[in-house]
């Protein structure tokens, strides 16, 4: 496997709920390798989502270091984080998070709009992405005219459109039925592998972890253990 | 985010909430209309003063007098040729002429008589001094025996042979000033049996007629040289008849000075400046601009109150915009979060909300300007029907600044909400379900 793309060193995230202090992530160190599919597995409240938010720069750690591309994310300001996300990161959410007023096509182009990509170019790219997720026929539909699975496909297209180095998926199939879940996971992992992207999936679903190269099992804000599945996975795909 | 995309998205967001947008814009429209109409009435007020004063004479002409100054030994100033020369060399001065006025009589076909005020000026300055003709032409340097009559002069003629009662009861004589034989005389018994044959009358040609309303309607404008010639002969006659007066002999020895001089300034803006310069020389100077200033000063308060009424409604509209934008942020918290997560910069978010607010202001401003245009006409029509002095006048700059100002108000009102949107945490925003 390639070198480490993200280094997490002794990261702590403490939430203050009234008088109670909750350490959501407690002195955690972890390296995410380039081009791997890493699954953060854990029960609700294990701190896996918080960890993802920290790595993605949506939240700042209470202490510790998160180094992405040799840059300290915990030291970036909001604007730097925004441009960092623009360049390197894609997101897939459990609740799709599409903009309801925009068509599928426009939702997919949104990251490119913020990057000031010209209309023609971004529309071509978006169409290409929509084809890749099998939704070219629904390109001009609004989110409310689509099923959950279709909406998630749009959001996947959006996450991958600017070829980010890392795609974060937070419970990407939480709202979907079993059949669609597998379709979706095949799609995400397929795209990531195809374009040699790193994929970090957060889930509580043991079955989803089947797709991962490495499973990081979390409990109470700490890493319980790490399962390497590379060999097995490679055997399966042979 | 490019400006084009920004505008596109802002418009789309506004369109999505049509009713709310329309209502907010309506607030701005009302604000804009009220402020524009209020200001326009203020401007119209000034304009009607100006028109009123212009009836009395030209605003760009300064009247210079030597009241008191000549007899004051401390001030060695005289309204003589030399001083006139100085005036004409001053900056912004277009023309200078002495003004001599004298009451005499015009005669028509040796039968009819009219009392008129003769105004003697240097003929070449007539046009510059603001005298305008409705028929014929103004005097030029070549004119020696020509006169220009006020529009009401023709109706002034009467038959001197008739007594007052008979004059009242008879039709006034019809006089064709341009073609009849017209003369000037200082014999007040002209045409009666007491007429003094020794007094000659001076034949003149009427070359132009001024308006029959306004300050010059009863005047007769003529070349100064001719008037001075008549005055001189009148004085000689009077001295012969009644003996010389002391003041007359005194002034004879001195060089010629004038009682009154008119100075025409190139444009309105510099009237005050020139006037002050002349005052500084020790003369008394008066122009109708003084009147205008005084009138404008007295209504300044009223105009300010009108403006304030307009401003209040625009402030209310501004609060409306802020409210709409704050509501939009609450509604779109999640949307803002998503945009932030997928790479919108803080300034993108801020600009988006500012653009939306600016559009509300701009739309309100444009619609407001259009409605003001109509309203202004209605105000003028109603005012005309009521024979009211009130009028509304909207110069182009007022439309332009109304639109700009409304847009600015929009941006200003949108600023706090935009700032708030910018500060929303991306994470809290996407957590909102």
């Amino acid at each position: 496997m390639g070198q480490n793309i993200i280094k997490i060193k002794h990261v702590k995230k403490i939430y203050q709920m009234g008088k109670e202090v909750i350490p959501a992530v407690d002195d955690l160190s972890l390296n995410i390798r380039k081009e791997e599919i890493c699954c953060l597995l854990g029960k609700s409240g294990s701190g896996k989502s918080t960890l993802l938010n920290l790595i993605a720069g949506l939240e700042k750690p209470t202490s510790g270091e998160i180094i992405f591309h040799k840059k300290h994310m915990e030291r970036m300001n909001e604007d730097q984080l925004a441009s960092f996300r623009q360049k390197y990161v894609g997101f897939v959410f459990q609740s799709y998070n599409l903009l309801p007023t925009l068509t599928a096509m426009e939702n997919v182009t949104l990251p490119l709009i913020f990057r000031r990509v010209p209309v023609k170019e971004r529309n071509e790219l978006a169409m290409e992405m929509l084809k890749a997720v099998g939704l070219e026929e629904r390109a001009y539909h609004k989110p409310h005219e689509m099923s959950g699975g279709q909406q998630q496909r749009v959001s996947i297209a959006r996450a991958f459109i600017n070829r980010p180095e890392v795609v974060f998926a937070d419970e990407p199939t939480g709202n979907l039925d079993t059949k669609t879940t597998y379709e979706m996971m095949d799609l995400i992992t397929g795209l990531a592998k195809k374009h040699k992207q790193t994929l970090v999936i957060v889930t509580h679903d043991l079955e989803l972890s089947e797709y991962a190269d490495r499973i990081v099992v979390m409990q109470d804000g700490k890493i319980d253990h790490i399962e390497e599945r590379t060999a097995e996975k490679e055997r399966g795909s042979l | 985010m490019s400006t084009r995309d920004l505008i596109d998205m802002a418009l789309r967001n506004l369109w999505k909430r049509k009713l709310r947008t329309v209502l907010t814009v309506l607030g701005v429209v009302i604000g804009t209309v009220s402020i524009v109409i209020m200001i326009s009435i203020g401007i119209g007020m000034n304009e009607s003063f100006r028109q009123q004063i212009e009836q009395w004479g030209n605003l760009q002409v300064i009247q210079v007098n030597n009241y008191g100054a000549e007899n004051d030994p401390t001030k060695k100033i005289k309204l003589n040729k030399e001083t006139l020369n100085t005036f004409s060399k001053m900056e912004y001065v277009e023309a200078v002429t002495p003004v001599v006025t004298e009451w005499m009589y015009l005669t028509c076909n040796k039968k009819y008589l009219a009392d008129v005020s003769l105004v003697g000026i240097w003929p070449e300055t007539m046009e510059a001094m603001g005298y305008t003709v409705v028929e014929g032409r103004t005097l030029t340097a070549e004119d020696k025996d020509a006169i220009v009559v006020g529009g009401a002069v023709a109706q002034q003629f009467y038959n001197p042979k008739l007594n007052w009662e008979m004059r009242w009861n008879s039709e006034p004589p019809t006089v064709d000033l341009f073609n009849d034989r017209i003369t000037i005389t200082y014999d007040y018994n002209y045409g009666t049996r007491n007429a003094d044959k020794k007094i000659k009358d001076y034949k003149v040609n009427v070359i132009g007629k001024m308006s029959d309303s306004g300050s010059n309607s009863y005047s007769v404008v003529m070349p100064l040289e001719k008037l001075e010639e008549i005055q001189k002969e009148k004085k000689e006659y009077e001295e012969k008849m009644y003996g010389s007066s002391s003041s007359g002999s005194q002034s004879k020895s001195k060089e010629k000075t004038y009682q009154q001089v008119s100075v025409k300034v190139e444009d309105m803006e510099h009237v005050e400046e020139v006037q002050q310069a002349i005052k500084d020389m020790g003369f008394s100077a008066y122009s109708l601009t003084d009147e205008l200033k005084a009138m404008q000063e007295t209504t300044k308060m009223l105009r300010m109150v009108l403006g304030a009424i307009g401003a209040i409604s625009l402030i209310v509209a501004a609060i409306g915009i802020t409210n709409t934008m704050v509501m939009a942020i609450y509604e779109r918290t999640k949307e803002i979060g998503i945009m932030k997560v997928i790479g919108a910069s803080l300034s993108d978010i801020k600009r988006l909300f500012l653009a939306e607010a600016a559009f509300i202001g701009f739309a309100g401003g444009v619609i407001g300007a259009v409605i003001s245009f109509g309203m202004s006409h209605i105000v003028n029509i109603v005012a005309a029907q009521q024979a009211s002095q009130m009028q509304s006048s909207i110069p182009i700059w007022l439309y332009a600044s109304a639109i700009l100002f409304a847009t600015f108000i929009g941006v200003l009102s949108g600023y706090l909400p935009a700032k708030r949107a910018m500060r929303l945490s991306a994470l809290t925003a996407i957590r909102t379900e």
Side-chain angles (χ1 to χ4, degrees):
Chain A
M1 264 292 143
Q3 73 267 54
N4 296 327
I5 187 165
I6 305 170
K7 292 174 193 162
I8 303 159
K9 292 179 185 169
H10 305 291
V11 161
K12 261 191 195 176
K13 179 71 188 179
I14 294 164
Y15 289 114
Q16 188 102 32
M17 297 284 208
K19 280 180 185 167
E20 223 176 319
V21 173
I22 302 162
V25 175
D26 195 2
D27 196 19
L28 186 146
S29 296
L30 177 72
N31 289 334
I32 310 277
R33 298 169 194 154
K34 207 167 179 347
E35 293 173 37
E36 77 168 337
I37 296 173
C38 176
C39 179
L40 300 178
L41 185 70
K43 291 194 186 95
S44 155
S46 61
K48 57 188 192 307
S49 283
T50 308
L51 181 61
L52 180 106
N53 292 337
L54 291 171
I55 314 172
L58 296 176
E59 271 185 295
K60 291 213 170 185
T62 314
S63 67
E65 294 177 338
I66 300 165
I67 301 154
F68 188 110
H69 265 294
K70 292 179 182 160
K71 282 184 190 134
H72 280 268
M73 291 186 54
E74 76 277 4
R75 293 181 200 160
M76 290 187 194
N77 66 24
E78 268 223 64
D79 260 325
Q80 288 167 323
L81 284 172
S83 82
F84 159 81
R85 285 195 291 265
Q86 221 176 54
K87 279 185 208 145
Y88 303 117
V89 180
F91 284 95
V92 180
F93 301 98
Q94 176 177 5
S95 49
Y96 326 130
N97 280 340
L98 300 176
L99 295 194
T101 44
L102 305 183
T103 62
M105 179 84 156
E106 287 160 339
N107 264 296
V108 175
T109 55
L110 208 51
L112 301 181
I113 289 177
F114 295 130
R115 289 182 74 170
R116 294 172 176 260
V117 176
V119 183
K120 194 163 172 279
E121 193 185 330
R122 72 185 186 221
N123 282 350
E124 277 168 10
L125 277 169
M127 208 52 185
E128 208 177 286
M129 272 325 291
L130 282 170
K131 267 180 198 154
V133 299
L135 269 185
E136 70 265 37
E137 280 165 24
R138 316 230 84 190
Y140 301 104
H141 289 244
K142 296 249 171 95
H144 64 89
E145 297 163 330
M146 288 186 272
S147 71
Q150 286 171 332
Q151 287 188 51
Q152 192 60 302
R153 280 168 199 269
V154 175
S155 109
I156 290 168
R158 184 180 67 186
F160 281 90
I161 191 162
N162 50 353
R163 298 281 138 82
E165 287 187 40
V166 186
V167 174
F168 295 102
D170 190 358
E171 303 276 8
T173 58
N175 287 355
L176 302 173
D177 60 56
T178 321
K179 183 172 162 276
T180 326
T181 296
Y182 288 120
E183 281 175 16
M184 223 52 69
M185 285 311 293
D186 286 335
L187 187 62
I188 299 180
T189 52
L191 282 168
K193 284 286 169 204
K194 189 176 163 197
H195 298 111
K196 298 191 184 274
Q197 285 153 309
T198 311
L199 182 63
V200 179
I201 304 169
V202 165
T203 185
H204 64 274
D205 188 346
L206 201 61
E207 284 183 55
L208 288 196
S209 62
E210 295 290 318
Y211 287 89
D213 300 321
R214 201 154 64 116
I215 303 167
V216 178
V217 182
M218 287 188 64
Q219 200 168 9
D220 299 331
K222 289 183 168 123
I223 296 172
D224 192 66
H225 63 278
I226 298 177
E227 279 177 45
E228 296 277 352
R229 303 190 42 122
T230 322
E232 206 178 313
K233 177 93 185 182
E234 269 169 0
R235 216 182 307 134
S237 63
L238 273 170
Chain B
M1 201 171 183
S2 71
T3 311
R4 214 193 110 177
D5 288 323
L6 186 81
I7 291 170
D8 186 59
M9 202 176 272
L11 287 178
R12 200 192 285 248
N13 284 331
L14 290 173
W15 189 243
K16 188 181 82 189
R17 298 163 289 144
K18 281 184 236 16
L19 182 63
R20 197 194 301 169
T21 303
V22 166
L23 290 175
T24 316
V25 167
L26 189 65
V28 182
V29 168
I30 293 169
T32 308
V33 169
S34 58
I35 203 162
V36 167
I37 290 297
M38 291 302 168
I39 291 176
S40 82
I41 288 174
I43 292 172
M45 221 187 292
N46 279 349
E47 211 125 287
S48 78
F49 287 160
R50 186 203 205 98
Q51 285 164 3
Q52 209 176 323
I53 287 171
E54 269 171 350
Q55 295 233 313
W56 305 342
N58 196 305
L59 279 163
Q60 280 153 261
V61 175
I62 301 170
Q63 287 168 23
V64 184
N65 291 293
N66 64 345
Y67 298 139
E70 293 246 307
N71 301 326
D72 187 344
T74 58
K75 291 177 188 165
K76 287 182 179 162
I77 47 159
K78 290 190 176 90
L79 266 182
N80 52 19
K81 274 247 165 72
E82 204 182 319
T83 315
L84 255 69
N85 230 348
T86 318
F87 288 163
S88 63
K89 279 181 188 138
M90 284 166 73
E91 207 180 354
Y92 310 120
V93 170
E94 189 185 324
V96 173
T97 179
V99 180
V100 174
T101 48
E102 180 85 45
W103 281 90
M104 285 192 190
Y105 303 95
L106 278 191
T107 74
C108 175
N109 292 341
K110 296 188 169 178
K111 264 182 11 204
Y112 304 122
L113 211 54
D115 304 18
V116 289
S117 162
L118 297 179
V119 178
I121 58 167
W122 288 343
E124 65 273 19
T125 64
M126 183 174 178
E127 205 175 340
M129 288 301 157
Y131 295 101
T132 50
V133 291
V134 292
E135 214 181 321
R137 61 174 177 87
T138 52
L139 298 170
T140 60
E142 288 78 43
D143 292 313
K144 296 281 180 269
D145 299 324
I147 62 167
V148 174
V149 296
V153 168
Q155 286 90 57
Q156 295 301 106
F157 283 91
Y158 57 88
N159 188 342
K161 293 197 175 74
L162 305 177
N163 65 24
W164 282 105
E165 205 184 333
M166 289 157 85
R167 278 182 216 162
W168 274 114
N169 294 332
S170 63
E171 283 285 305
T174 43
V175 178
D176 180 359
L177 288 168
F178 283 101
N179 297 314
D180 290 343
R181 185 178 184 276
I182 306 293
T183 65
I184 296 171
T185 182
Y186 49 89
D187 181 6
Y188 51 87
N189 289 322
Y190 186 92
T192 65
R193 66 186 110 93
N194 297 328
D196 192 336
K197 286 282 181 312
K198 275 177 282 185
I199 299 173
K200 74 172 187 183
D201 49 353
Y202 304 85
K203 169 96 175 62
V204 289
N205 300 317
V206 177
I207 58 160
K209 193 175 105 177
M210 296 180 285
S211 163
D212 57 4
S213 65
S215 56
N216 299 314
S217 52
Y218 293 96
S219 306
V220 169
V221 181
M222 62 185 294
L224 180 62
E225 213 177 313
K226 183 81 180 173
L227 183 59
E228 279 175 335
E229 179 196 325
I230 301 173
Q231 274 183 317
K232 198 171 149 233
E233 281 174 31
K234 181 186 176 192
K235 194 177 227 169
E236 281 166 10
Y237 169 79
E238 279 170 354
E239 278 174 12
K240 215 184 291 166
M241 292 292 286
Y242 316 111
S244 62
S245 63
S246 58
S247 65
S249 63
Q250 199 179 27
S251 62
K252 206 182 267 177
S253 58
K254 288 182 181 174
E255 60 171 321
K256 195 158 99 184
T257 60
Y258 300 106
Q259 294 291 311
Q260 196 192 335
V261 168
S262 283
V263 176
K264 166 76 180 290
V265 182
E266 278 167 4
D267 50 57
M268 285 289 299
E269 281 73 46
H270 296 106
V271 172
E272 264 187 297
E273 197 182 324
V274 174
Q275 194 178 342
Q276 194 53 49
I278 293 171
K279 275 183 184 167
D280 290 344
M281 289 165 72
F283 298 104
S284 67
Y286 163 85
S287 74
L288 287 171
T289 313
D290 294 344
E291 300 293 322
L292 188 62
K293 284 266 149 60
M295 275 178 148
Q296 286 175 351
E297 201 58 36
T298 50
T299 55
K300 198 175 181 180
M301 197 63 204
L302 181 60
R303 279 182 289 134
M304 278 165 70
V305 169
L306 288 177
I309 293 169
I312 286 168
S313 37
L314 202 56
I315 289 169
V316 173
I319 295 169
I321 298 177
T322 307
N323 186 36
T324 297
M325 295 318 292
V326 171
M327 291 290 287
I329 285 159
Y330 281 132
E331 232 177 42
R332 282 152 62 189
T333 302
K334 189 180 165 116
E335 195 180 312
I336 295 162
I338 297 167
M339 292 202 290
K340 277 189 154 184
V341 167
I342 62 175
S345 67
L346 292 183
S347 78
D348 282 337
I349 305 282
K350 189 168 84 177
R351 279 163 67 216
L352 181 63
F353 280 88
L354 280 182
E356 287 179 31
F359 270 122
I360 293 177
F362 177 74
V366 170
I367 299 170
V370 171
I371 293 177
S372 310
F373 177 77
M375 288 275 285
S376 167
H377 278 262
I378 294 170
V379 166
N380 285 342
I381 290 166
V382 172
Q385 279 171 355
Q386 310 271 319
S388 155
Q389 280 284 336
M390 191 169 80
Q391 60 169 312
S392 154
S393 164
I394 308 179
I396 296 288
W397 65 260
L398 186 55
Y399 287 118
S401 44
I403 294 170
L404 276 178
F405 190 58
T407 312
F408 172 72
I409 289 285
V411 172
L412 201 68
S413 321
Y415 190 77
L416 276 178
K419 199 95 179 169
R420 197 188 174 121
M422 198 175 87
R423 288 211 192 101
L424 274 180
S425 145
L427 197 65
T428 1
I430 47 171
R431 271 195 198 134
T432 314
E433 286 299 316

